[in-house]
Every structure is written in C-alpha cells, then in structure tokens.
Amino acid sequence: MMDSTSIISYVTFIFGIAAFFYAIGWIFKSKTAGRLGTAAMVIATAGNAAGFVLRWVETYQVGYGHIPLSNLYESLAFFSMAMGVVYLFVEYRYKIRVIGMFAALAAFLALAYASLPSIGSQIQPLMPALQSNWLIVHVISYFFGYAALTLAFCVSILFLIKNASQNPDSGILGHIPSVKVLDELTYQLVIFGFLLITLGLITGAVWAEQAWGRYWGWDPKETWSLITWFIYATLLHARLMRGWEGKRLAYISVLGFAAVLFTYFGVNLLPGLHSYL
Amino acid sequence: MNNNIQSVNLSDRIWNFFASVKLSVILLLTLALTSVIGTLIPQHKQASQYLQQYGEFWHGIFQTLKFYDMYGSWWFQLLLALLMVNIVVCSIDRLSTTWKIIFPEKPVYRADRFKKSASHKSFQTGETPENLQKPLNDYMNAHFRHCRVETMKNGYRIYGEKGRWTRLGAYIIHLSILLLALGVLISSLFGYEGHMNLPVGDTANTMKLRHSDARVGLDFSLRCDDFSVQHYPSGMPKEYRSELAIIENDEVVEKRSLIVNSPIRYKGFNIFQSTYGRIPGETFTLIFTDNTSGLQISKKASMGEELALPGGKGKITVEDYSNNFNFRGHNLGPTYLSMLTPSSGNPRPLILPVEHPNFDRMRQGEFTINVDNVDYRYFTGLQISRDPGIPVVYTSFVIMIFGFLITFYMAHRQICIEARRSDGKSTSITVSGISPNRRPGVNIAVNRVAGKIERIIQQHKNT
Ligand code: HEM
C-alpha cells in the first residue's frame, strides 16, 4: 500500500499540472483548459486530504497517534490542502479561474519545498507541550488563514499589474476580471484570512496559557503574528480613508503577505529561539 | 473671550486628532514596524552580552531607546495607550451618527438608488400583480423590517430592510479590544508568578517569585505523592506527570494529576508542570578501594552520619549534596561533599562526584572513595501563577470573534421587489438590493430572495 509521503509527492505533481492548465486557460482564454485545471485542482486537493488522513492513521501505526500538524513537513502539506480548499471555494463562488494558476503554483511550491530532504518527512512523536487540542484549532485556523491571505496577495499582484498597464483590457490582461472585482475579492479574502488569523492568535494565547502559564510573552513567533495582524488591521481601516482604495490597499496586502512569510519561515532565523514549526 | 474660543478650538482639535481613522492607520503601522525591533534584538539579556555583541556605541543608543525591554518601554506602552484613546474617541465620535442610522423613525427608500444598484434579478410570471401582492407582502413582512409598499401606474414596489444593527459590529470589535487592554492591565498589575520545587513526599506552601528572591505563600499546601516521566520508544519524553495533593488545614481536600498542558486551577492559583529533577535520597553506599591491594569495602551510609574508615584510619561524614558541582570550571554533575578526618592530621573536604567514581584517586590517599547505590528522589518543578486578568482577556476574545462575524458576514441590506404588469396578464418581477454602508455580497442576497420569491409564486399558482 502507498504511504502518505508518496501520495503527497503525486499530489505535488498534480498541483503542477493544475497550474499548467490554468495558465493555458488564462493565456488562450480556453474554457476547456480552465476546466481541466479545475479538475486537476480538485483531484490534487482531494489527494492531499487523503494523504493527510492516511498520515494521521500512520501516526497511530508507529505508536504516537496525533494529528499530523506537528512539524514543518506536515504543516506545509496541510497548507497546500487549505490552499486547494480555499481556492476552489473562491472559484465556485466567484466563477473566476485566473487566480487558479497562482493558487496551484503556491500549493505546488509549498509541497516541492516540503519534499526537500532537509525538511524531513518522518513521523515524529509529539512533545508534551504540543499535546493540546488548542494547538490543533490554532494550527488549522492559521493555515486556512494563511491560504486566504496568500490568495489575497495573488489577487493584489494581479490588481497592481492590471492597474499599472496602459491597456488593461487587451491581451492576457484583458482576461483578468476588472480591477473593481479584484479589489472586492481582495477584501473578501482579507476579511476571511483576518478572521482566521485572529482565531489563531486567540487560540494560541489560550494554549500558551495552558502550557506555559502565560497567554502572551512577546516571543518572536508571537510577536511576528501580532505584526501580521496589525498590518491587516491597517488594511481594513485604510479602506475607510478617502483615497486609499485600490493601489495602496494592494500594497498593504503585499506587505501583509511578506509578514506572513516571515512569521512562518523567517522567525526560525532570528537569534536565540527554538521554534517547533 | 478670545481665550475661551482658542481653548474650545484646541480641545476640538485634539478631539478631531484622536477621532481620525488616519491616526489609527498610522498607529497600527507604527506598532507593526516597531514590534520588529524586539524580535531582532534579544530581550532581557545581561549588559555584558549586549556590549560584546553591539559594541559600545550601539549599546549606548539601544540602551537609551530601551530596546532591551522594548515591549515594556514607556514609548511602546505609550503607542498602545494612544491606540486605545484613538479607539475610544473614534467610537464615541461616530456612535451618535451610527445610532441615528440604526434607530430612525422610518427608513428612506429611494427607487433610483435601487435602479442604480448593480444587483438585480428579473423574471416573468403569468400571474397579475394584484394576485401576487398578498404573498409577496407576506414574504417581505416575514423576513424584513420596516416594509413599505409604493404603488406605481402598472404595479407596485415593496421595500424592506434588515441588519441595521449589524452596523454596531465594528463597535463591538473595538469594545473587545478595549476590554482586552483592560485584561492585560489587570494581569500586569495584579498577576504574579512563581516557582516551587517539590520533592516526592514533601509538602510546601510557599513559592519563589519570578525575577526576585522573595517567597510568597499560597492559600493552601501542596504535597507531591509521585512523579513520573514516560518516554516514547525513541527516547523522547512523552509525558511528565505529578500526583499532587492539595491540603488545607492539615486535611487533603483534593488529589489531582498534573501534566503539561493541563494545569490545575485551584482558588485562583494556576499550577503548571514546568520542570523536574532528582535529589539524592538519604541513603547511599560508600565504597573504599584500597589503592595498594585493590580490595574493596563498601558501607551503607546516610547524610550527616559519621562513618569509620576501614582499618581505623579515621572517619568520614557526608555533609552536603550538589546537583551540578562545579570543579575548576568543570561541571561534575551530582556530587556529594564530605569531610574526611584522618586518625592523625587535619580534617579535609572531599569531593565525591557520583558519575566519576575515580575522581578521588587524584587525592592519592590510601583509599579511593566513591559513592554508589544512590537512592534518588524526584522533585517536580511547579510553576504557579495567579492572574486575575485572564477571565477578562478571554471574555474579550469571545466578544471579538462575535464582532468579526457580525461585521464581516452580516450586513445592513435593503431589498426592493418591483412587480410590473408587462403585457396582458403577465407580470415582470425585479428584485434589487443595496447595502447602505457598502458591504459586499448584495448580489448573493438578491439572488437568494429572488429564488425564494419564484418558489412562492409557484406555490401560489398551484393552490
Ligand atoms: C487593533 C485595533 C483595531 C482592530 C483590530 C480593529 C478592527 C476593525 C475592524 C475589523 C473593522 C471593520 C472593518 C471593515 O468593515 O472592513 C473596523 C472598523 C472601524 N474601525 Fe477599527 N479596529 C482597531 C482599531 C481602531 C482604531 C484605533 C480606530 C480609531 C480611529 C478604529 C476605527 C474604526 C472605524 C471608524 C471603523 C469603521 C466603522 C464603521 O464601519 O462604521 N479602529 N475596525
């Protein structure tokens, strides 16, 4: 029988195929290619979910028994699944396929990164501090939130490109929805992501209180999640200011995404700190 | 007089300064940017370490700017305080307007605004407008508030709205943030935290405060009945478990197991499994190895007991124990400290590291002495805290989530159903909607209403 790691490597490949079809669909405005992209995306996401469930079973088989959200490999694999789910929901709801290429590419890159030998895909036992149901809610909230904010970033980039173009309605840029639609989509994705990272911040605080006796300690990972949160709160308020629609909001969305990336990957590079994920 | 006007202007200006969203955008961005500093510069380290790392010049600057305790520095706290003032003033400033919108006598419906709205859905039906008026009216009255009918030449419009109160969502969020700030303030003013090392079998009712040498008492005593560590097959720790008894007035009131991530909460104190360690038991064996013959003699001993050396060569008393004994810069680990009194000559101290049985050979005496069969006792390291801010903080969390759900996923909406006779008996129905405070998602609401109305008309036809 296949193990979860090999399922995940097939899934990586299928996300790559999805990105390819979405790109063809976009460039040539081909509905068929777009549909193939969606099909590949659905298969990849479902496969990713199957890999997740299988790995969960495997943790029991090796005698540890915990939800597979405990190290970088597992979190990257969960991120790509969340990406697939959030994107497919957006596609279904908004009937927009052009960001499919970005979503599939992001999932592909996350999984390709996860498959590097240095990441280590072994199943590891859970240290006592991580054995908490709050941790599960915390991680799930964050990764769905991050998926939404990653998509928001992609939409913002499209927005900036389209907005800067001399003739935004011709060529492949013409296949992108109007800047107004992109602007609203960014907002919808940001509020969804913001809600989830708030939930992640809150459950993280409750968990930290249970594990270490304090709900907030300004440790770098905590602080960086708060920084990210401040940036997206800025974005929501900037919308209320006259003249801050569109371009400047897109810049804040890009800045927020940079903070997300740093919170996820960069914090481990900071001095004097041991991080689990 | 002049003075008066000026002061009114000044206070107005201060008010307007704090009432602006622009200020909150600036503050939020500043907080985000400055928070970065404390993650780049390690906090609360020794001055010498900083000096070595940054050099004298930068060390001086960083110290002046309070970068070593950044989140506790006056200027960072000031930024947070300004944000709170900003929220309060901004909310008060807008609340009266919002209140008037939420509770007007009658809403104003203007047909042209619905016409301009991008959210429409139309369909045809074979019934006359008159026939449909009652079911449409009933539907609107059941699902919307402040409904009103407006008659036209060849039909009518029915208006309705809902979700006005959701405009309070943002205020609920801001209130929750103020409550959060209050909770954090309570935590920092009235909360404290300490540590207690409790050997298995012992009872204690004081702990050492964090960042100080002071000890404070608890309202009860704790006795540790057992401590155990479980490992995974790989050797990694799986569980630390203390069996604790809570004692009041010499009576055990409760027995509880304490593991990581599942603290004991008792009478406002929170007890966490934090560390553990071993301390030596009262009894052990001393082994005397004759350095010429290699002959070994072992004797059972206990702390403080005087023991005769073999062959009447003097006596030895084990007096003390250290978990991490430092000998000329080397950590010898668990070590007994004893006093050797030869039959002739002065007493001299003797170091007996448990993990280095040959250590005493260095002394080049007649015997090499080492310790064995040490009967260790575990102690559990408990972290104990009292934080009256927690309930307030957690309440703010719950309110915040509700505030977000209301603000983001509910909206103030107005719906208009227009029924117009198109030709002969058939009617053209148009559903349109607007969101007075420009919330997204109107389209979806319009489609939903249109779908329901189509079904209602269908039912009406069938009966
Ligand atoms: C960390 C602090 C804050 C958070 C998390 C927060 C959160 C929010 C959120 C989520 C919204 C809804 C935005 C939307 O509808 O898209 C909002 C609206 C608003 N916020 Fe804040 N806010 C914060 C601080 C402030 C401050 C300091 C001010 C002071 C000026 C402020 C003023 C406003 C205003 C005026 C609105 C619009 C209310 C309305 O739509 O009627 N906020 N806030």
Side-chain angles (χ1 to χ4, degrees), chain A residues 187 237 239-240, chain B residues 20 24 86-87 90 94 174 177 404 439:
Chain A
Y187 173 73
H237 287 91
R239 274 180 74 249
L240 305 167
Chain B
S20 85
S24 62
N86 190 196
I87 294 182
C90 194
R94 295 185 172 228
H174 296 143
I177 288 166
F404 279 137
R439 294 276 138 185

Side-chain angles (χ1 to χ4, degrees), chain A residues 64 93 125-132 184 187-188 191-192 194-195 198-199 202 205-207 209-213 215 218 220 223-224 227 230-231 233-234 236-238 241 245 270-271, chain B residues 21-22 25 28-29 31-32 35-36 39-40 71 76 174 183-184 187 193 232 234 236-238 240 260-261 263 265 270 272 383 387 390 393-394 397 400-401 404-405 408-409 439-440 444:
Chain A
Y64 301 146
R93 181 99 179 242
L126 218 49
M127 53 186 284
L130 294 187
Q131 296 162 10
S132 165
E184 181 183 324
Y187 173 73
Q188 290 282 16
I191 60 173
F192 180 66
F194 189 64
L195 175 68
T198 307
L199 201 61
I202 287 174
V206 175
W207 165 50
E209 199 278 332
Q210 283 205 346
W212 303 316
Y215 53 81
W218 293 109
T223 310
W224 269 96
I227 291 169
F230 279 145
I231 295 176
T234 310
L236 293 177
H237 287 91
M241 282 163 50
E245 265 162 32
L270 292 178
Chain B
V21 188
K22 202 167 166 187
V25 164
L28 286 167
L29 269 188
L31 279 165
S35 296
V36 174
T39 67
L40 299 177
Y71 306 109
F76 192 76
H174 296 143
V184 171
S187 288
E193 186 183 298
Y232 290 105
S234 68
M236 195 170 145
K238 181 179 183 182
Y240 307 109
V260 178
N261 256 318
R265 316 221 182 246
N270 309 304
F272 303 89
Q383 184 184 325
D387 190 345
I390 287 178
V393 169
Y394 285 10
F397 286 167
M400 196 185 297
I401 292 294
F404 279 137
L405 290 176
F408 291 154
Y409 294 104
R439 294 276 138 185
I444 291 163

